[in-house]
């Protein structure tokens, strides 16, 4: 197999119908096996409920801690966990692992649409299906958690824009994790570890403004906060004005860096396939 042939593409616009077909296929799969998605959604809703109880107990009689009201924290945690779940599509990683394990990866690589764009299309379809499930569950989420309006119309606008970039960062991170299937014999344990670490450092369990200084610095050097904390903090008004603009700029920078990382990892993975093929 020639590396140049394996990575050839007729261009993203010409291949757009193929990508849309992949997105629709991923949506159909999610709806066909909706029991699994609903079970995972139930776990997230339970997590939101537990976090609400824990943080309410931690605040006790105090209405405000470190300048942050309890209601604001509960709204933040509810939206953060639901958003984090919707963007954490690890099923594509399992799909990629099965392709590598069963030797079917060559068929996807030889398709003119390009392998990495195909996987991105799978991620888009998977995330869209999760968003649909999360939207349908909002009444139940409001019952067990806490939902509220954005801090202002400007905060809502910043949140929408930041959410778009958060999706880009999350999608690239998930793709890098999925590409790890070329080197590992089992991806499940690594995916679970990635989910735990990313949720914590993204601020889905504890808002980053409660982190101690050194840990807040560490989290700021990693891309995870760009997937959750940044957009949700804009929704609640904790990031506004020039700080919001700067945070969106950092999200864009992470997309550029992670896209470069995906390109590098894929080139190494492709070389590994060529070696295995003799």
């Amino acid at each position: 197999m020639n590396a140049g042939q394996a990575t050839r593409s007729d261009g993203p616009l010409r291949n757009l119908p193929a990508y849309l077909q992949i997105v629709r296929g991923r949506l159909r799969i999610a709806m066909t096996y909706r029991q699994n998605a609903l079970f995972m959604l139930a776990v997230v809703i339970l997590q939101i409920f537990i976090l609400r109880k824990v943080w309410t107990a931690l605040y006790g009689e105090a209405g405000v801690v470190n300048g942050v009201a309890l209601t604001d924290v509960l709204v933040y945690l509810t939206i953060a966990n639901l958003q984090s779940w919707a963007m954490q599509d690890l099923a594509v990683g399992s799909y990629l692992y099965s392709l590598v394990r069963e030797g079917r990866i060559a068929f996807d690589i030889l398709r003119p649409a390009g392998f990495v764009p195909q996987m991105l299309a799978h991620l888009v379809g998977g995330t869209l299906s999760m968003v649909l499930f999360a939207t349908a569950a909002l009444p139940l989420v409001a019952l067990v958690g806490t939902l509220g309006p954005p801090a202002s119309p400007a905060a809502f606008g910043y949140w929408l824009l930041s959410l778009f970039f958060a999706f880009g960062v999350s999608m690239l991170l998930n793709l890098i994790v999925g590409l790890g299937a070329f080197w590992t014999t089992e991806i499940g344990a690594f995916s679970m570890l990635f989910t735990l670490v990313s949720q914590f450092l993204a601020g889905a369990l504890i808002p980053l403004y409660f982190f101690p200084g050194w840990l807040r610095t560490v989290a700021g050097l990693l891309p995870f906060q760009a997937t959750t904390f940044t957009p949700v903090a804009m929704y609640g008004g904790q990031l506004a004005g020039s700080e919001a603009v700067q945070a969106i700029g950092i999200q864009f920078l992470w997309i550029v860096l992670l896209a470069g990382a995906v390109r590098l990892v894929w080139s190494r993975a492709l070389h590994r396939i060529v070696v295995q093929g003799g």
Side-chain angles (χ1 to χ4, degrees):
M1 180 187 302
N2 182 274
Q5 291 177 337
T7 57
R8 72 181 186 276
S9 174
D10 295 331
L13 292 180
R14 180 175 298 181
N15 293 319
L16 183 59
Y19 302 144
L20 292 177
Q21 184 62 34
I22 292 174
V23 171
R24 287 193 292 267
R26 181 57 59 175
L27 283 169
R28 285 195 296 269
I29 290 174
M31 295 304 171
T32 302
Y33 300 98
R34 56 186 176 274
Q35 294 84 356
N36 182 57
L38 291 173
F39 174 77
M40 297 305 298
L41 179 58
V43 172
V44 173
I45 292 175
L46 177 61
Q47 180 171 297
I48 291 172
F49 176 76
I50 293 173
L51 286 172
R52 176 186 176 183
K53 292 297 184 181
V54 168
W55 280 90
T56 300
L58 287 174
Y59 263 70
E61 298 298 324
V64 179
V65 174
N66 289 344
V68 184
L70 173 60
T71 302
D72 292 337
V73 172
L74 296 180
V75 170
Y76 169 92
L77 290 171
T78 301
I79 297 176
N81 279 269
L82 197 60
Q83 177 184 302
S84 177
W85 174 79
M87 291 188 180
Q88 198 71 269
D89 184 15
L90 297 178
V92 173
S94 299
Y95 169 72
L96 211 164
Y97 169 69
S98 68
L99 290 179
V100 175
R101 182 186 58 191
E102 297 169 12
R104 295 181 290 116
I105 189 74
F107 296 102
D108 293 74
I109 291 176
L110 290 173
R111 290 172 181 164
F115 182 77
V116 170
Q118 288 178 62
M119 294 301 105
L120 291 175
H122 278 287
L123 286 167
V124 170
T127 300
L128 285 177
S129 66
M130 289 174 147
V131 168
L132 291 176
F133 285 119
T135 302
L138 281 178
L140 180 58
V141 171
L143 182 64
V144 303
T146 304
L147 292 177
S152 66
F156 182 70
Y158 280 129
W159 174 68
L160 286 178
L161 180 59
S162 180
L163 193 62
F164 174 79
F165 286 109
F167 173 63
V169 174
S170 180
M171 188 167 57
L172 291 170
L173 284 172
N174 289 334
L175 182 56
I176 291 174
V177 172
L179 289 174
F182 287 93
W183 286 270
T184 62
T185 56
E186 177 55 56
I187 198 173
F190 181 72
S191 296
M192 291 178 62
L193 178 62
F194 170 78
T195 299
L196 177 63
V197 172
S198 64
Q199 275 198 331
F200 178 73
L201 293 176
L205 305 177
I206 303 174
L208 295 191
Y209 41 72
F210 285 128
F211 277 24
W214 68 271
L215 187 55
R216 180 69 180 90
T217 300
V218 171
L221 296 174
L222 298 172
F224 303 112
Q225 68 167 349
T227 66
T228 304
F229 175 78
T230 298
V232 182
M234 290 179 188
Y235 185 92
Q238 288 83 22
L239 285 176
S242 60
E243 288 186 340
V245 174
Q246 181 181 8
I248 291 174
I250 293 175
Q251 285 182 300
F252 177 76
L253 178 61
W254 274 118
I255 289 177
V256 174
L257 293 175
L258 290 172
V262 167
R263 185 181 181 87
L264 176 62
V265 173
W266 171 236
S267 66
R268 298 292 180 86
L270 186 61
H271 177 69
R272 185 177 180 85
I273 294 172
V274 172
V275 170
Q276 289 177 343

